[in-house]
Amino acid sequence: MATEFSGTVVGPGDAGYDELRSVFNGMIDRKPERILRCRNAADVAAAITTARADGRPISVYGGGHGVTGSAVIDGGVCVDLREINHVEVDAGNRTVTVGGGATWGAVDAATQEHGLAVTGGRVSSTGVGGLSLGSGSGWLERTYGFTCDSLVAAEVVTAAGEIVTASDDSHPDLFWALRGGGGNFGVVTEFTFALHPVGPIVLGGMLLYPGFMAKEVLRNWRDFMLDAPREVGGGVALITAPPEEFVPEPARGQPACGVIVLYVGDPEEGQRVLEPLTSFGPPAANLVGPMPYVAVQQLLDPPNPKGMHNYWSGDFLESFPDEAIETWVDNVQPPTSPLTQMIVVAGGGAIGDLTDDDTAFGNRGAPFNLHYLSMWPPDPSQDEVNIAKTRTIAAAMKPWTTGGVYLNFIGDEGLIRVEQAYGPEKYARLRKIKRVWDPDNVFRHNQNIPPAD
Ligand SMILES: Cc1cc2nc3c(=O)[nH]c(=O)nc-3n(C[C@H](O)[C@H](O)[C@H](O)COP(=O)(O)OP(=O)(O)OC[C@H]3O[C@@H](n4cnc5c(N)ncnc54)[C@H](O)[C@@H]3O)c2cc1C
């Protein structure tokens, strides 16, 4: 068992402590007893072992984008992976090995040098760790599946402080659980993903419509996506038009509807395929064109700055009929905060190439995935109204939901909701695997799956 720690220990009062303990969601203000900045898997093993010996609870900091703020823990030990951020592309074998604390921006940049990619987060600062373990939804998912579908192997530091490899051939149960089971089963210090041909130039971007057109735009988009080829990815966000030059002056600051598209393939062919979307309108702004895939991956960076207050929830939809679209738009508009983004992304395509039993992540048959993303400036007096609005929207959409939820999109909604994400059988299997790998529930500061009794 490793006991040597070669990283840096940062505690209250030390330089950088406040910055290091900050996370994406500005509502979170937690003070770990110490932050252990690990450099490698042996450091992580030592961090876990010493925290356990000291009786301290543990949190794991990947990219700090978990909206619950589970990367940091009051009075506990924060196992900080941010310095384990290597990204090594093996273009010949079409794989990439990625440190557990890397961000998607770094992965996209390195893999795109070879015209390759793996489904990654839609905001480049998001951590590979939490996103992939939660399964990983991204613009490429209809073409190449969720991120976890491309996972080939993971180096895992267990609750016992051991370093193991999980893959189809090595601890297959653990490997199955890592693909959607979140941070429950160990700390992943290295992911190996299969890569796929993408770009580097793709057809992508956004069509922006005035808010009053949202219902007809959504109906057209829904009809198109239900039959769209798997090369098409995308979603629709009900937002407030930003005060940017590309937005016509009168539309700025007004409710708006943004249709985000990506065509993975020849951009010219993409123009033809996407015509039913791009010819609809006219939009207030048409920003769809050939562009680098990395630019598509950064489209949503500006509206998602660190430090804002966030309250999120989500639901998979069984269907998205006209009545559901009416309810959606009527409840979302006008937004309580101009930073809020209420998003629907389309399922289908490669997501269904695996079955629900193949990975811990399920809900593969859902045609749409709703993400209630409320965001507002860091002013506590605005918390209540924004949280209440999010809950009202979620309640209104219940009639069309599957009962399943995508855990990466939600805050802390309790154990029941975690069980609902997996369904009873899969949840029971996950609990048994948890009992093998983490019987004391050391990794519980997360969307927790308690060990089976
Ligand atoms: C701006 C923004 C955009 C997002 N976009 C997407 C999106 O497009 N698709 C999507 O699916 N999700 C998206 N998410 C949600 C995101 O995937 C989850 O919040 C995820 O947990 C973030 O991972 P992280 O490593 O950055 O977070 P952290 O807060 O560091 O980690 C969250 C939890 O994950 C676990 N964890 C993290 N890394 C590891 C590791 N290496 N080993 C073991 N456990 C680990 C830990 O339990 C940790 O508490 C987005 C979130 C934000 C804030």
Side-chain angles (χ1 to χ4, degrees), residues 81-312:
L81 306 178
R82 282 170 284 185
E83 289 187 355
I84 308 180
N85 57 9
H86 55 279
V87 179
E88 284 149 20
V89 179
D90 179 344
N93 286 315
R94 288 195 173 172
T95 58
V96 61
T97 50
V98 182
T103 61
W104 281 107
V107 175
D108 289 337
T111 55
Q112 276 294 279
E113 280 182 25
H114 307 275
L116 298 168
V118 58
T119 305
R122 299 178 177 92
V123 173
S124 66
S125 53
T126 311
V128 173
L131 184 134
S132 306
L133 294 169
S135 73
S137 165
W139 299 131
L140 293 179
E141 66 199 4
R142 294 186 80 260
T143 317
Y144 296 123
F146 276 74
T147 311
C148 69
D149 299 353
S150 294
L151 187 65
V152 176
E155 177 186 74
V156 186
V157 182
T158 70
E162 283 161 359
I163 302 170
V164 301
T165 298
S167 69
D168 272 335
D169 303 322
S170 173
H171 306 301
D173 257 18
L174 175 62
F175 188 54
W176 179 86
L178 291 177
R179 285 174 290 162
N184 278 288
F185 303 94
V187 179
V188 177
T189 41
E190 187 171 272
F191 297 87
T192 302
F193 297 107
L195 293 171
H196 315 278
V198 175
I201 298 297
V202 295
L203 184 68
M206 186 172 69
L207 302 154
L208 190 74
Y209 296 87
F212 67 83
M213 289 180 71
K215 291 176 186 173
E216 54 186 304
V217 169
L218 274 162
R219 286 195 294 268
N220 181 59
W221 176 82
R222 170 205 59 197
D223 293 346
F224 175 77
M225 290 310 297
L226 283 172
D227 282 328
R230 60 174 56 205
E231 288 81 7
V232 181
V236 177
L238 299 182
I239 53 175
T240 302
E244 300 287 346
E245 216 166 284
F246 68 82
V247 180
E249 177 84 54
R252 293 180 195 166
Q254 300 300 314
C257 175
V259 179
I260 295 156
V261 292
L262 169 65
Y263 182 82
V264 185
D266 172 34
E268 258 181 53
E269 174 64 11
Q271 300 275 11
R272 276 189 294 279
V273 172
L274 294 180
E275 207 265 342
L277 292 183
T278 51
S279 65
F280 191 84
N286 181 349
L287 308 172
V288 176
M291 61 175 74
Y293 170 71
V294 288
V296 176
Q297 285 293 88
Q298 290 167 14
L299 273 178
L300 299 186
D301 285 8
N304 289 287
K306 184 180 175 186
M308 299 298 106
H309 283 198
N310 282 267
Y311 181 84
W312 295 11

Side-chain angles (χ1 to χ4, degrees), residues 55-73:
R56 293 273 178 189
I58 289 172
S59 72
V60 178
Y61 199 123
H65 276 42
V67 76
T68 62
S70 59
V72 281
I73 186 165

